[in-house]
């Protein structure tokens, strides 16, 4: 093993969360300005030490903590590289708020897998990277579609359908997404389980899943036609379906209302919901500043802006 350091970044699901678990398409955006960095240094005393905001201690003691998914991933990587007892210090330095629907667990997994491969001088292709990340995502989330890992490792917006290779998309030329953190912990596993239970108890709920899939197709059309009004309408319609599925939260609704009353042309939760973040679409950078300020006044603990014009690929 040699010293190595690799990165990944946050993601925001623009449309199709939850429906994507059931085979509908979704679109997610990499947010490269919100970064995750992992660094590993070998050590001679055989200790296996992890430093992160979520967990600080030995690999062995991480088994029954919130870090257990990543710990299992690390143990399997060590086996893969024939070095289960190798000593190391692993530092995880993250700008992503954990458990807010921004892909913190997937971004950690991606950066960890990349770092171990670099430390053992082994290249890894993208499909293998996603398979490795799935190990911890399964432990943390239960039934992950794979969209988080795909987007936290991508440099372009992703059209994602479960079980298929993600496809890159080009963004509209104008429009600014404001991402706002409610400060309330999202609960991916609980939200995914709640939706599964609703669908079993009340099969009519399936209509919301189908409708969300349809809205993902509409979003791709809005991208292709540079139609941000359509995109805004689609986002607000998606929020109605997500609310009906039971994954919103009063504070998310407060933020969405504040955004809509202060110039946003669409707003919705992003990720699994029950807390976490919202996305609001503003037509211009000036409008985005007004929306950001209104969201802060309404209780958002942090806001970020994602200006489509700065993320053009052609
Ligand atoms: O809460 P997050 O950011 O992990 O988003 C999960 C997205 C879901 O569609 C709710 C679940 C999944 O695995 O696709």
């Amino acid at each position: 093993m040699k010293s190595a350091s690799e990165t990944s970044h946050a993601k925001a699901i623009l449309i199709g969360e939850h429906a994507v678990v059931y085979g509908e398409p979704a679109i997610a955006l990499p947010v490269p300005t919100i970064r995750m960095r992992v660094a590993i240094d070998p050590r001679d005393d055989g200790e296996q030490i992890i430093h992160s905001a979520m967990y600080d201690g030995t690999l062995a003691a991480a088994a029954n903590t919130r870090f257990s998914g990543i710990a299992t991933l690390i143990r399997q990587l060590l086996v893969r590289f024939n070095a289960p007892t190798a000593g190391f210090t692993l530092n995880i330095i993250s700008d992503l708020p954990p458990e807010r629907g921004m892909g913190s667990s997937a971004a950690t997994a991606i950066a960890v897998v990349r770092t171990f491969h670099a430390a053992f001088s082994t290249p890894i292709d993208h499909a293998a990277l996603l398979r490795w990340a799935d190990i911890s995502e399964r432990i943390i989330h239960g039934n992950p579609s794979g969209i988080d890992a795909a987007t936290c490792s991508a440099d372009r917006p992703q059209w994602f359908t479960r079980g298929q290779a993600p496809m890159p998309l080009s963004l509209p030329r104008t429009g600014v997404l404001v991402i706002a953190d409610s400060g309330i912990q999202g609960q991916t596993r609980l939200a995914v389980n709640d939706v599964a239970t609703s669908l079993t108890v009340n099969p009519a709920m399936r209509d919301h899943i189908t409708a969300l899939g349809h809205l993902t197709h509409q979003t791709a059309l809005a991208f292709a036609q540079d139609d941000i009004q359509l995109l805004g309408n689609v986002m607000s319609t998606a929020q109605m379906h997500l609310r009906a599925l039971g994954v919103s939260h009063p504070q998310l609704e407060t933020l969405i209302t504040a955004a809509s009353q202060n110039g946003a042309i669409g707003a919705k939760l992003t990720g699994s919901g029950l807390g976490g973040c919202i996305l609001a679409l503003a037509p211009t950078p000036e409008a985005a500043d007004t929306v950001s300020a209104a969201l802060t006044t309404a209780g958002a603990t942090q806001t970020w802006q994602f200006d489509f014009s700065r993320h053009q690929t052609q």
Side-chain angles (χ1 to χ4, degrees):
M1 186 193 295
K2 62 181 184 188
S3 291
S5 175
E6 292 284 331
T7 62
S8 62
H9 47 68
K11 62 94 215 219
I13 300 181
L14 181 59
I15 195 87
E17 51 271 272
H18 287 291
V20 70
V21 173
Y22 299 93
E24 297 291 345
I27 295 173
L29 314 178
V31 186
T33 48
I34 308 178
R35 288 171 73 77
M36 164 79 63
R37 192 171 80 83
V38 170
I40 195 165
D41 291 300
R43 46 193 294 162
D44 296 332
D45 60 6
E47 295 270 359
Q48 298 180 323
I49 304 293
I50 291 150
H51 297 302
S52 77
M54 187 188 275
Y55 176 77
D56 209 84
T58 64
L59 180 62
N64 291 315
T65 68
R66 286 196 303 154
F67 196 74
S68 67
I70 299 293
T72 300
L73 173 64
I74 292 171
R75 269 192 293 276
Q76 296 197 12
L77 283 161
L78 288 168
V79 170
R80 148 77 180 86
F81 290 114
N82 238 335
T85 57
F88 62 82
T89 302
L90 188 80
N91 281 291
I92 300 174
I93 304 128
S94 175
D95 297 337
L96 284 78
E99 298 179 58
R100 297 292 204 284
M102 298 194 73
S104 173
S105 65
T108 308
I110 292 289
V112 162
V113 173
R114 283 178 170 158
T115 300
F116 271 90
H117 280 74
F120 288 97
S121 307
T122 306
I124 181 167
D125 67 30
H126 194 238
L129 178 65
L130 299 188
R131 282 199 299 277
W132 273 105
D134 196 51
I135 293 171
S136 51
E137 287 292 275
R138 269 187 194 286
I139 296 167
I140 297 164
H141 287 177
N143 183 18
S145 64
I147 190 170
D148 287 9
T151 315
C152 291
S153 60
D155 54 11
R156 302 226 357 223
Q158 301 287 301
W159 171 278
F160 183 89
T161 307
R162 190 169 191 166
Q164 296 179 17
M167 287 191 304
L169 290 174
S170 295
L171 287 166
R173 280 196 287 274
T174 59
V176 181
L177 277 181
V178 180
I179 307 170
D181 185 355
S182 67
I184 297 163
Q185 235 176 32
Q187 301 173 66
T188 306
R189 180 183 272 272
L190 179 65
V192 171
N193 283 343
D194 281 358
V195 171
T197 306
S198 293
L199 292 177
T200 311
V201 172
N202 182 2
M205 284 289 196
R206 176 67 63 165
D207 291 350
H208 296 298
I209 300 290
T210 309
L212 286 164
H214 179 66
L215 291 171
T216 297
H217 285 273
Q218 295 247 64
T219 300
L221 185 67
F223 278 23
Q225 295 183 335
D226 239 333
D227 187 344
I228 58 163
Q229 288 297 334
L230 173 60
L231 178 57
N233 291 342
V234 164
M235 288 171 63
S236 296
T237 309
Q239 177 60 21
M240 283 170 36
H241 293 290
L242 291 163
R243 190 184 300 130
L245 284 170
V247 294
S248 194
H249 181 282
Q251 182 57 12
L252 298 179
E253 295 296 335
T254 299
L255 294 179
I256 287 165
T257 304
S260 304
Q261 288 174 348
N262 288 278
I265 54 177
K268 63 183 279 292
L269 65 82
T270 181
S272 61
L274 299 181
C277 292
I278 67 134
L279 299 179
L281 179 64
T284 63
E286 296 71 31
D289 288 342
T290 307
V291 170
S292 298
L295 285 165
T296 302
T297 305
T301 54
Q302 210 173 346
T303 63
W304 301 265
Q305 292 190 9
F306 184 95
D307 186 334
F308 291 158
S309 71
R310 300 217 188 113
H311 295 273
Q312 298 296 308
T313 43
Q314 57 205 16

